[in-house]
Amino acid sequence: MKKFDFSEFDKAYNEDVKRRKIEEQNRKRNRREKNVDRGKVVGYTFIIILAFFIFANIIDGYVEMNRIKFENVELAKRVETLNEEIADLRIKIQEKSSVHIVEKIAREELGMINPYESQRKKLELRRSFALNPDGIGVIVREETEQKASGE
């Protein structure tokens, strides 16, 4: 029978403990690296998603800005057209409201004639003012006289 040597057993046991300790450290390091890798992946994913939303927001802003610019151009054209119409209408109003045009339309289209002097009436307006006896207000009296020109 062979004699059992504790020094060899102790040596083998210590080597096994060292090997297990190294394996455990490697496993921990691998787990940390995986966690770090997961953290990096999550971080990069978050940054990519954030960049996408910022980029989408910028594009939306440009689209909205271009839509507003287009509306401004359309409104400016509409304002210019309306200003031209206003100028044309002012010219037409001046033409239609001149004394000669009104007289011509009155004679030709409405059949009106100049009145004779006897057909005209003159109005004379007289105003007289008096203070209220209490001095609080003013009373205004108007007297109208109508005279025929032929009288």
Side-chain angles (χ1 to χ4, degrees):
M1 184 166 205
K2 198 172 176 190
K3 199 176 177 182
F4 193 66
D5 186 12
F6 282 107
S7 65
E8 284 183 35
F9 175 75
D10 195 31
K11 186 178 174 184
Y13 177 77
N14 286 336
E15 287 177 6
D16 187 50
V17 168
K18 284 182 185 179
R19 184 182 51 81
R20 286 183 186 186
K21 190 175 182 181
I22 291 171
E23 287 177 1
E24 183 66 29
Q25 287 174 351
N26 287 339
R27 269 190 253 130
K28 285 182 182 179
R29 188 179 317 126
N30 287 340
R31 271 191 241 137
R32 271 191 248 130
E33 287 175 0
K34 285 181 183 178
N35 288 340
V36 169
D37 289 343
R38 284 185 192 155
K40 286 182 180 178
V41 169
V42 170
Y44 288 141
T45 304
F46 178 74
I47 289 172
I48 289 171
I49 290 172
L50 183 64
F52 172 76
F53 281 116
I54 290 171
F55 184 70
N57 199 9
I58 290 171
I59 289 175
D60 183 54
Y62 279 120
V63 168
E64 185 68 17
M65 186 175 60
N66 285 332
R67 184 187 63 78
I68 290 171
K69 283 181 181 179
F70 179 75
E71 286 178 4
N72 283 346
V73 168
E74 293 296 318
L75 288 174
K77 288 179 184 177
R78 180 78 176 132
V79 165
E80 187 177 322
T81 303
L82 291 174
N83 283 335
E84 290 173 2
E85 287 179 23
I86 288 171
D88 291 341
L89 290 173
R90 283 186 177 151
I91 291 171
K92 286 180 182 178
I93 287 173
Q94 287 176 350
E95 289 174 355
K96 297 285 182 177
S97 63
S98 76
V99 174
H100 302 293
I101 300 293
V102 170
E103 190 176 330
K104 181 180 175 185
I105 291 172
R107 285 186 184 166
E108 293 175 2
E109 294 179 15
L110 301 176
M112 297 176 85
I113 57 170
N114 282 332
Y116 297 110
E117 193 64 35
S118 63
Q119 294 174 321
R120 293 185 182 173
K121 292 185 179 180
K122 292 185 180 180
L123 295 175
E124 188 175 304
L125 181 64
R126 292 185 197 159
R127 290 186 182 169
S128 60
F129 299 94
L131 289 177
N132 190 354
D134 298 331
I136 297 173
V138 175
I139 298 174
V140 177
R141 294 183 185 162
E142 296 181 4
E143 297 174 7
T144 307
E145 243 180 63
Q146 201 173 29
K147 295 181 183 177
S149 297
E151 293 179 9

